[in-house]
Amino acid sequence: FNTSNKVEDAFDFKGKEHVTWININGLYNTTEIEKLGKHYNLHPLVLEDIVTTNQRAKIEEYEDYLFIVFKMLHFKDDEEIVYEHMSLVVGENYLLTFQEADGDVFDDLRDRIRNSKGRIRNARADYLMYAILDAVVDNYFTVIEAEGDKIEDLEERLFLQETSTNEITSDIQKQKREILKIRRTVFPFREVVNKLEKSEWKYIDPRTNNYLRNLYDHMIQVNESIDLYREMIWGLMDLYMTNISNKMNEVMKVLTIIATIFIPLTFIAGIYGMNFENMPELHYEHGYIIVWAIMIIILIIMLIYFRKKKWI
Amino acid sequence: FNTSNKVEDAFDFKGKEHVTWININGLYNTTEIEKLGKHYNLHPLVLEDIVTTNQRAKIEEYEDYLFIVFKMLHFKDDEEIVYEHMSLVVGENYLLTFQEADGDVFDDLRDRIRNSKGRIRNARADYLMYAILDAVVDNYFTVIEAEGDKIEDLEERLFLQETSTNEITSDIQKQKREILKIRRTVFPFREVVNKLEKSEWKYIDPRTNNYLRNLYDHMIQVNESIDLYREMIWGLMDLYMTNISNKMNEVMKVLTIIATIFIPLTFIAGIYGMNFENMPELHYEHGYIIVWAIMIIILIIMLIYFRKKKWI
Amino acid sequence: FNTSNKVEDAFDFKGKEHVTWININGLYNTTEIEKLGKHYNLHPLVLEDIVTTNQRAKIEEYEDYLFIVFKMLHFKDDEEIVYEHMSLVVGENYLLTFQEADGDVFDDLRDRIRNSKGRIRNARADYLMYAILDAVVDNYFTVIEAEGDKIEDLEERLFLQETSTNEITSDIQKQKREILKIRRTVFPFREVVNKLEKSEWKYIDPRTNNYLRNLYDHMIQVNESIDLYREMIWGLMDLYMTNISNKMNEVMKVLTIIATIFIPLTFIAGIYGMNFENMPELHYEHGYIIVWAIMIIILIIMLIYFRKKKWI
Amino acid sequence: FNTSNKVEDAFDFKGKEHVTWININGLYNTTEIEKLGKHYNLHPLVLEDIVTTNQRAKIEEYEDYLFIVFKMLHFKDDEEIVYEHMSLVVGENYLLTFQEADGDVFDDLRDRIRNSKGRIRNARADYLMYAILDAVVDNYFTVIEAEGDKIEDLEERLFLQETSTNEITSDIQKQKREILKIRRTVFPFREVVNKLEKSEWKYIDPRTNNYLRNLYDHMIQVNESIDLYREMIWGLMDLYMTNISNKMNEVMKVLTIIATIFIPLTFIAGIYGMNFENMPELHYEHGYIIVWAIMIIILIIMLIYFRKKKWI
Amino acid sequence: FNTSNKVEDAFDFKGKEHVTWININGLYNTTEIEKLGKHYNLHPLVLEDIVTTNQRAKIEEYEDYLFIVFKMLHFKDDEEIVYEHMSLVVGENYLLTFQEADGDVFDDLRDRIRNSKGRIRNARADYLMYAILDAVVDNYFTVIEAEGDKIEDLEERLFLQETSTNEITSDIQKQKREILKIRRTVFPFREVVNKLEKSEWKYIDPRTNNYLRNLYDHMIQVNESIDLYREMIWGLMDLYMTNISNKMNEVMKVLTIIATIFIPLTFIAGIYGMNFENMPELHYEHGYIIVWAIMIIILIIMLIYFRKKKWI
């Protein structure tokens, strides 16, 4: 196991009985990639796909090697999701991986190779490929579960109704778009793994096929989780609309109760505020008390009515 | 039929002409599971799948055995649904089952074996497998029908409108998520049963195939029920929104009726509460009575109008 | 053509060159059914399916006979839909039918046999089977068209707006569930007819195949009608929501017009109801008339504004 | 080219090297149709399908002829869509067409034959069939484009908001149902054309196949147009709901502005309308002016607030 | 590389070992197109399709050539999308392209041929065809991304809420229809590229197939982008409805707060504006102050209540 910054150093290992794994970090040093492409006899379209980051996950079978492009998801600073373009070329006894950025996603894998535990160290290139893809799918799980947590957070905030309305709409909208973007990135990868499992490529060991089948099952699970969260987030928007309607209903009820009670009472007060010369009630000794009594009776009738309507 | 806590005790039965059924309760004693795996020559991926509870239902055909993973649903304390991870390995004359928790789901089945009634006791491993899967599907039915009852409860509560709005929204939301979760768990099992029926695995008797076809029909029915309840619960949300709108409409009507009647009347009272020196009406002998008469006429016109609009 | 209450009476006809049709009404007399099953050598699963009413429509091909399960729909007292479980076993020269309840669905068919009109009397068992299934599909049409009429009734009631809101919501909801239930019952039958037409079962005459193709076309039409009505009833809910919104809008307009006119006028009246010592307007000779003039001008402006807004 | 009212007159042409086209207008003269059926040896089911107008579009291949059923759409009086049941039987050198009503849909085609322009006159029966189906599909286009125009009309009316609300809801609903009905009628015809193109029927010339492929492309376009208009009309309902909400919002704003301004002012007026003996403000020389000043300040603050809220 | 306005000038090149590319701008000069069609032996249907602009994208394989029809999208004056009908005929060593309008879409391609860089100049007709289709798909990307930017603009405007409501509804509606139209135009092209890649047409070099596969991947990406934007724009309408509801809620709250505070206070003022002879409070020395105190207490209670409800 060697680490080097020059591609040529790696060429000596080719053809030996051990498997060579060359990992290129950063797609800017195109000259190195071209050298590598020449050395391993890669098709010009493959080289173009390696450096074009705006790519859909796909798998292509060439004479001497398999070529796989996909996106890797991980969190940057535990917040933002990074969509990293990756390519992978597997030949008989070599494996080339191209990462968009310097990353440490495969550190764990490298450690397992260094420490020679498990099947990794003595495995052939196809098993190594499986191990890398497995790590990628594990990352998918991590990212999606984190998104799921965010959605459940949003739902709880909706029930507590403690956030201002505009902020939460914007958060739901953002989350919705995030899920759509992840879905669009991750879904094609299922097809890649499926093709990989189904393909009868000569350098894939039948024993590795069991592992690929497993990988495919995981990808199905990933996609189902995404669709579940997608459905949940559409439900959130509905729930939010329901919340608004509920609140407006409550506002309306308060207004209606107050207005319905006091408008008639104010009318009665208005009647006896009139300045007609000839208003006999005004001269009754207990007129004022009687009016108060009438008002209180109206109030009580109103309250009973509202209670019956279950408004209070 | 024997019950034991040590795996080795069961090994003696292997290879005899009777079928051996070993059931492991609890996935924590991995050493026992590994011993068993070694004894029956299980693939490492199979052993891994047995102890990984976060699994999608699937079936895998190996050289000597079939391996099936699925989730079993049952109620805990008649309230909460438990999703129990189960695995099943069927060989020529043995059957291994692995349950996540100590459970009594197969008690009924065990009884039928003990009492030797039916085809169970003399059956081969494949028929026993069918009997177990049949019990699982029966459990699915039980759980789904219970969920269906809950949904119909919710619908009735919506029509009676006796629950507070927030509570019922939260209940609908919870129910929706429960159905989505069941759906996600149960749907892949249909594919498993389908593959099982279609597969030409050597140890499955053609006679058992008829039973598996029957099982597949039941699974289709399970899935259709789930989708029906799913559609019904989406309809509940709509119904709830309609209820809110209806209520708000009613609130608005009460407000409008009261305000529309009394605001003009209060205006009239306000007119004759003005202190202008020169207001001839104030000095009419019957001014006060006439104003009352006008008010009552306005009231009657209003009521007729509302009646025509079907508001009252 | 014979009618009898004992199964054995029918056995004598078996094997003759005429076709035997045995119809069992009611699934409670299991002993008779078992006798029949023994006589015609039916699989235990078939017998189980015959008496299990909670079944999805399906077709199963056995060595000597075809077995078809389905639901028959008809109206009880022209109101409630009855879902009757039926099974049908067709052999080379016999036809067994099992009905859940005593029914008169095939009376028409029986008449046609008795009167020997058409192809029925001299036909083989497969044609008889076609005739029965055709009668079933005709019943589907009748039921679905009746449901369609109910939906159009609901729509008309919505446009007339003469029913109380809660009643109509509940009716729409009920109708929606009815359609979903019919759909769930009828849809699998299409697959049955399709399999029947496609199957190369030895006892089906090629000439009958043309008729089965026709039957299949009818089933497609049945399913399309169901889906059309389903879409229409979802549209009704939308229409109802629109109606509510429209009504609330109208209520709001009335409130707004009345309040917007009289609140400012009442304010003016309030002004001149104040008891300040030094209010010069009160002492103008025409003060009262002027105030009335101002109020009428305000009223006219308001009315013009509302007219412009198309509120009145 | 001959026109006659008696079927027998047409029989003489059969078997000659020219192609015979017999067109029956009106399905009521069943005896003529039966004569024709006997002459051309048509299956009883075909004859039944010809006279049953409630049919889904389909194609059936018999020994000696192809049988096609479909609906033809055209406008009656430029308003109502007529769904005319048509059947078509193509044999080696004859073509029978059956129309539900006397129509002039094929006048243009007949003219082309009479005037011997183009490939029509010397063509075989299969090309003639293509020409008829092509005319039918052209009619579909005409009808659908007219529906599309109606939908755009509706949309414009919605934006202008000049129609009364109930009228437009009813129009949208009617249009929606019309589109659903057209869809249900036209969609199966695509499958018919597809089967026709795919079929290896002996009497279809390979050269005609290019034309059928073209026809199939047109049918796809027809169906896509229908689905586009369907989606647009669902969007209209949404747009309408949005319009209602917008209007209600505007109504609410007017109410709120008026009420919010005048309710507090009326309160102030109410204060100084009280009859307490000891109210010092009443005796201030400029009390009345000061109160007016306060009221105007409140009014200005309110107006600024509404302006900030963008309500006015 | 030659440019000429007469078709005949181009014929001399035919049959030579270099590839001939003839591009016709404008479909009005049908005589030239017919001459070309005669020269290259094109089927009449092909010629008809070339000049019929109302066409769905399709590919047809003839004996000597491939015929492809599609729409090209580009912006006119950076605003309006132009849907230009294009056809393409590829033979062994010639390539005919037909554009609806004079355009400069292939200028870039022509420059690459003139300057002889890359594989273009020495390539065969099939590679040239790929290059043209690739340019078309690139144009699709440009147009769709521009639409995506417009949708994001709309979303931002919705969040800022600075546009008048009617304007933005109309913009969303317009955008929705634009996306639907693009979708309808572009989607069939994916099938064309797929068929092209899958087809085993004799004049397509296996090496070109890799490029076509790449093209197909791009088309999938195009279609996914369209569907993503389509889903986003449907979400905008929801968001807009939510905004309206939010605003109405806010309006309602202001009305409710003002009305709920001042209606009861006005009632109190009304009470003491009554003219009863016997109202003891009026004669209390501090009556006026006490009433003010009561009113302020009521105000404070109201404010606390609103604060608790989170309305202010």
Side-chain angles (χ1 to χ4, degrees), chain E residues 99-225:
Chain E
Q99 285 179 253
E100 193 177 346
D102 298 292
D104 47 0
V105 199
F106 297 134
D107 275 7
D108 176 52
L109 197 66
R110 248 176 246 143
D111 285 353
R112 277 161 69 201
I113 298 175
R114 270 210 197 82
N115 302 327
S116 303
K117 275 176 85 171
R119 280 161 291 222
I120 293 275
R121 191 160 182 100
N122 301 309
R124 296 161 34 124
D126 59 345
Y127 186 82
L128 203 55
M129 172 196 70
Y130 156 74
I132 289 172
L133 298 182
D134 195 43
V136 168
V137 173
D138 277 355
N139 265 14
Y140 287 171
F141 266 117
T142 314
V143 167
I144 291 160
E145 288 315 313
E147 292 302 303
D149 289 351
K150 281 193 211 163
I151 291 169
E152 280 176 16
D153 262 26
L154 276 174
E155 192 167 20
E156 207 162 318
R157 273 163 64 196
L158 269 180
F159 272 114
L160 294 178
Q161 306 182 353
E162 65 186 5
T163 337
S164 94
T165 51
N166 262 334
E167 194 186 320
I168 210 159
T169 331
S170 143
D171 282 4
I172 291 175
Q173 201 66 6
K174 230 166 64 189
Q175 198 59 38
K176 208 198 273 182
R177 219 185 308 164
E178 193 73 67
I179 289 282
L180 282 176
K181 202 176 164 195
I182 292 176
R183 194 170 177 259
R184 196 190 175 196
T185 310
V186 172
F187 261 51
F189 191 61
R190 194 188 86 164
E191 212 30 57
V192 167
V193 177
N194 190 19
K195 275 186 190 160
L196 195 62
E197 191 215 328
K198 289 276 175 343
S199 92
E200 306 235 330
W201 192 58
K202 54 190 171 186
Y203 299 128
I204 292 187
D205 201 43
R207 280 168 302 170
T208 310
N209 245 329
N210 280 331
Y211 292 98
L212 291 177
R213 196 162 57 173
N214 222 307
L215 193 66
Y216 182 58
D217 286 337
H218 288 167
M219 266 320 288
I220 292 181
Q221 234 174 319
V222 164
N223 289 6
E224 282 180 350
S225 291

Side-chain angles (χ1 to χ4, degrees), chain B residues 96-113:
Chain B
L96 317 177
T97 50
F98 303 85
Q99 286 178 253
E100 194 177 346
D102 298 291
D104 47 0
V105 200
F106 298 133
D107 274 7
D108 175 52
L109 196 65
R110 249 174 248 143
D111 286 354
R112 278 161 66 199
I113 299 176

